[in-house]
Amino acid sequence: MPELPEIETIRRSLAPQLIQKTITAVTVHDPRLRYPIPTDLAAILTGKSLENIHRRSKYLLFEFPHGHLIIHLGMSGNLRILSPSVKLRQHDCLDLIFAQTLCLRYHDPRRFGSILWTSDSPSKHPLLTDLGPEPLENEFQGEYLYRVAHKRQKSIKTFIMDGHIVAGVGNIYANEALFLAGIRPTRLAGQIDLPEYQRLANSIKQVLTVAIAQGGTTLRDFTDSTGKTGRFQQSLQVYGRAGEKCQQCGNVIQQQIIGQRSSYFCPVCQK
DNA sequence: AAAAGGACCTGGTGGC
DNA sequence: TGCCACCAGGTCCTTT
């Protein structure tokens, strides 16, 4: 479901409601995610106060005095804040009750998500330690992409969707950023020059920044923790628009599978 | 080392 | 209406 802007939107909707509140109950309804939810989560969290919520790539990091709860939503996960009396639905996996009144409920039909606990620095967790730079940080620039792409033979689209190269760019925003930069998604990463990479890095920053400002992209079911949908789908230039006219030049948007993922581009605007 | 493909899951949609 | 194939916002693991 969610890429960086959607996770950031969720983080921002959760933070004001939950920070500084104490967990009064924890219930694991169904531990079957990509990795099983720790069975001792209630013992770990009950009575602890949430100090902050951070984001790294598509991971949400819930900071407690003695460690971090790491949550990844996979393809179909979502987090809602509900009254604890709201009835469970199928695929509800976990309830965290804050201050006896707020229920943070994790729901995930496809069960590709993860809920992990670490008492160490989250950046040292095996799933996070090898992640690439955050695209909205200053260290992420075209020069960096150009350097790490040296002699790489994979498509540029697959390359920027690799979280070990740059964190948080998924299928929607990879397509959109390549359109904005005027780069064909099938080009090989090692054959793109420095000026193009500078354009691409700036396009990634721009598309993610605007998407966050719009509350993310709702294709079918994304909402923030209060149930609000995103608005960025109205700004999509190529994703999901195969057969429609390019809004820049009028030519027909093409669709092609690249690295097993649907890809969309304008054959005129993207060289 | 890097690339390609499979694997993990369920649900919605469109075709027949 | 029913059945089936295909598709989906992610990412890890195995094989080549």
Side-chain angles (χ1 to χ4, degrees):
Chain A
M1 174 210 288
E3 302 184 35
L4 186 155
E6 289 73 40
I7 301 302
E8 179 62 20
T9 298
I10 292 169
R11 190 192 70 77
R12 292 180 185 188
S13 73
L14 290 172
Q17 304 190 75
L18 299 182
I19 288 173
Q20 298 302 333
K21 297 216 165 57
T22 296
I23 296 206
T24 52
V26 175
T27 309
V28 178
H29 303 293
D30 185 349
R32 296 174 304 160
L33 294 179
R34 178 182 250 266
Y35 312 98
I37 300 176
T39 48
D40 52 346
L41 211 50
I44 292 169
L45 292 177
T46 305
K48 304 295 184 185
S49 175
L50 179 64
E51 299 195 330
N52 213 335
I53 308 176
H54 310 275
R55 181 191 55 73
R56 172 74 170 110
S57 187
K58 299 168 189 167
Y59 294 91
L60 285 167
L61 311 173
F62 292 76
E63 181 185 352
F64 290 93
H66 58 321
H68 287 77
L69 187 69
I70 303 173
I71 297 187
H72 194 289
L73 300 183
M75 287 280 258
S76 60
N78 78 349
L79 283 167
R80 292 289 294 274
I81 293 186
L82 305 163
S83 157
S85 62
V86 173
K87 278 209 184 110
L88 287 176
R89 292 180 299 162
Q90 196 182 11
H91 308 306
D92 286 340
C93 298
L94 174 72
D95 282 356
L96 300 182
I97 310 294
F98 289 81
Q100 297 183 327
T101 53
L102 296 171
C103 173
L104 178 65
R105 181 165 289 171
Y106 181 86
H107 173 88
D108 190 354
R110 292 180 74 181
R111 297 196 260 118
F112 288 168
S114 318
I115 297 179
L116 309 155
W117 172 259
T118 180
S119 50
D120 204 346
S121 161
S123 63
K124 292 186 184 158
H125 191 282
L127 293 177
L128 279 77
T129 193
D130 293 325
L131 289 171
E134 284 293 317
L136 298 178
E137 299 283 308
N138 280 338
E139 63 191 291
F140 177 71
Q141 297 294 342
E143 287 77 2
Y144 161 78
L145 283 178
Y146 180 70
R147 178 161 44 81
V148 297
H150 186 63
K151 294 194 172 170
R152 296 287 296 255
Q153 295 288 304
K154 58 162 51 170
S155 74
I156 183 60
K157 174 162 177 276
T158 309
F159 186 68
I160 58 171
M161 285 178 67
D162 180 346
H164 302 103
I165 301 300
V166 53
V169 179
N171 202 26
I172 297 177
Y173 301 108
N175 279 295
E176 294 298 308
L178 286 164
F179 174 79
L180 213 58
I183 298 170
R184 199 73 78 99
T186 46
R187 301 248 323 265
L188 297 187
Q191 296 179 0
I192 286 171
D193 64 25
L194 179 58
E196 289 176 311
Y197 269 123
Q198 288 168 329
R199 283 206 321 266
L200 180 55
N202 288 334
S203 297
I204 290 171
K205 288 172 188 287
Q206 186 185 331
V207 75
L208 296 178
T209 301
V210 175
I212 291 168
Q214 297 291 306
T217 299
T218 299
L219 294 178
R220 41 204 325 266
D221 55 9
F222 167 73
T223 68
D224 72 9
S225 69
T226 70
K228 254 176 56 183
T229 58
R231 281 154 281 129
F232 191 74
Q233 60 276 15
Q234 295 164 21
S235 306
L236 295 175
Q237 299 293 302
V238 288
Y239 182 87
R241 307 188 76 105
E244 296 181 34
K245 284 187 176 173
C246 171
Q247 297 187 12
Q248 268 185 43
C249 76
N251 269 76
V252 178
I253 303 296
Q254 308 288 310
Q255 178 175 8
Q256 184 180 337
I257 304 294
I258 303 171
Q260 313 187 85
R261 309 300 299 274
S262 272
S263 308
Y264 305 86
F265 62 95
C266 171
V268 175
C269 295
Q270 293 174 257
K271 314 280 186 211

